[in-house]
Amino acid sequence: MLYHETARARAPETGMKSKIVAIAVLLALAASHATAESRPNVVLIYADDLGYGDVSAYGARRLKTPNIDRLAREGVRFTDAHASAATCTPSRYAMLTGEYAFRKAGTGVLPGDAGLIIEPGRTTLANVFQRAGYATGIVGKWHLGLGSVGGPDWNGEIQPGPTDIGFDTAFIMPATGDRVPTVYVQNRRVVGLDPADPIGVSYDRPLDDSPTGRGNPTLLKIHPSHGHDQTIVNGISRIGYMTGGKAARWTDEDMADVFTRKATAFIEEHRETPFFLFFALHDPHVPRVPHSRFVGATPMGPRGDAIAQLDWSVGEVLSTLDRLGLAKDTLVLFTSDNGPVLDDGYRDEAVEKLGDHSPAASFRGGKYSNFEGGTRVPFVVRWPARVKPAVSDALISQVDLIASFAALVGPPLSDRRAQDSENVLQALLGASKTARAWLVEQAGSLSLRDGQWKYISPGRGPRINQNTKMELGNDSEPQLYDLAADVGERKNLAASRPEKVREMAARLDGIRRANQPRRPSSVRTSFWSSLTTGRSLTPASTGTGPSTRRISIASRLAAISPPKSWSSSSVTLRMLTHLHDKRSVALIVRAGWVLRASRNEDL
């Protein structure tokens, strides 16, 4: 009798333990299922000076970009996506840090000997992935400085650099193709450097009597149109003076091949683990010296041929993903660092052979410009496992990538310095037709986009850059455009809409002055904290009582992944429901896991 009474007394406890184990197993299955679905490999392909109209998927007819077009056909093609600035260094800085570059001094276009402008220790796009367990790498153009203030020791260990702000590996050019030093850097060392031939770099004065483009034009195979007439490397004169390092100097014609091989090798090496690759192409930036197999690929001369070469690089990445069976579970994002430019320092027939091609499409301006052509760029997201082909007019900024990818792969972004980045993940994945309500564009002045309205703040400077012949959009008076009716920004409405000017000027001024810490979602943050610390959820977060404790225990037992990886299937939800523990299911749902409203899954 005593035995049966004891057994009956223990039955509820045994049943409870069984239920906890069952839930733990199911949650582990959910996490495993969600890992492939919600934590993809990510390849960010970043072109250099590629305009909105330079891609055939965006309307180009004088040249074809079949590999970029494939991405656009198989993913979401965005029509109102923006670089954060109209030049490369500030747009790259903002994208990697989540902070508009105008907030930090020294983030303009950098010389090739500048120190690193992203301080180690702050959150970056790279270490968002790194902290989530991804292998992280960068291949290609850097142009964010290397070393401490004053620049690096090119002949020793170069630090800090990319590997100090979240990249496990780096194979980069320090600045741009038209700036010295013309060498590759792998992790912390110049590639192929002969210690007996040390590198010297100066942007102030010549370091020896080596020939320059200004003094020796007969040594050049491409002639400068303005500037770009100092040290000669590979028959091309550059910005800045360089001595030594002859064995380490690159050959421009081989650059795309070198970078593309490194990018595909990174994918090969990390095929078994989640990876994030930042593939920062140099094309079609100057000097435009495509490999001989691309010369004549378009009727547009070296600039058009460089775009064809760029498209080939994209195709090599896609082919590698296909061959390795990784395409379905890899998110590929293709975009550009700023708008297009034709004559950017070399006489390469970019203007003469343009024909009827419009690099910025119907938008006014381009690189360096306050007008839309300065920052509105191609932007395509493909992820076969989750993203359905579509065209989206959602307002997107590259500054949002850090918050959006943090939402995808890890705990919410908390670094207050990334205050300008917004989570627009649902728009990136094509699940929402809207993203930002407004964004800032940075060029000679700051501009504010608010829906269909574009406000350009008054600024100094010429209206046209006489070297590049680019309309800069500078004006001593405010400018206001209705892009819905005037996408080419030809009719300034500032005088007729003074109230709108005052409203947008005040908002832009507030954004400029703002320096507020990010306030992450309390529910999501506390839920994530409970998992990483092992503490139970507080009653204020998700509820009270045994169900809360059971979910906390089960979650820890399951060794789960970060919140966004809990985007589980309806199958798992039904399995949980069959446990008749609907309170536990509801708690998970309320915390933003397992179920999202966009999935239309039914409790």
Side-chain angles (χ1 to χ4, degrees), residues 535-552:
R535 292 192 295 271
S536 296
L537 299 173
T538 64
S541 298
T542 57
T544 59
S547 292
T548 303
R549 290 192 293 274
R550 289 200 294 274
I551 290 297
S552 180

Side-chain angles (χ1 to χ4, degrees), residues 188-373:
R188 299 187 187 276
R189 296 278 180 175
V190 171
V191 176
L193 179 63
D194 180 356
D197 185 27
I199 293 171
V201 173
S202 171
Y203 277 75
D204 300 322
R205 56 183 176 78
L207 298 174
D208 61 10
D209 58 359
S210 296
T212 63
R214 182 184 307 135
N216 300 270
T218 59
L219 299 180
L220 301 177
K221 61 186 179 186
I222 300 177
H223 292 266
S225 55
H226 49 88
H228 301 79
D229 59 0
Q230 296 170 336
T231 292
I232 299 173
V233 176
N234 188 35
I236 304 168
S237 51
R238 319 279 170 155
I239 300 172
Y241 301 98
M242 176 182 178
T243 59
K246 290 182 173 57
R249 296 183 184 189
W250 67 53
T251 300
D252 300 79
E253 291 86 345
D254 297 334
M255 183 178 291
D257 284 352
V258 170
F259 285 154
T260 302
R261 282 197 301 269
K262 291 292 182 180
T264 55
F266 178 89
I267 295 171
E268 290 261 13
E269 181 180 355
H270 299 289
R271 61 194 294 182
E272 301 296 334
T273 59
F275 61 81
F276 167 61
L277 171 63
F278 180 21
F279 186 20
L281 304 168
H282 181 255
D283 291 324
H285 194 285
V286 296
R288 299 161 184 143
V289 194
H291 192 277
S292 59
R293 68 182 184 276
F294 295 103
V295 173
T298 73
M300 294 169 53
R303 185 175 185 275
D305 297 346
I307 293 173
Q309 180 172 259
L310 174 157
D311 186 73
W312 167 82
S313 294
V314 172
E316 290 298 290
V317 169
L318 299 183
S319 295
T320 300
L321 294 173
D322 289 340
R323 175 171 52 82
L324 298 177
L326 299 175
K328 180 181 178 182
D329 295 318
T330 300
L331 188 157
V332 179
L333 192 160
F334 176 86
T335 188
S336 179
D337 65 345
N338 49 248
V341 62
L342 298 178
D343 181 352
D344 207 20
Y346 296 92
R347 299 203 298 266
D348 61 5
E349 300 183 298
V351 175
E352 293 84 349
K353 293 189 174 183
L354 184 64
D356 60 358
H357 179 68
S358 298
S362 57
F363 305 111
R364 193 174 179 183
K367 184 178 181 180
Y368 312 113
S369 177
N370 294 313
F371 294 125
E372 284 292 279

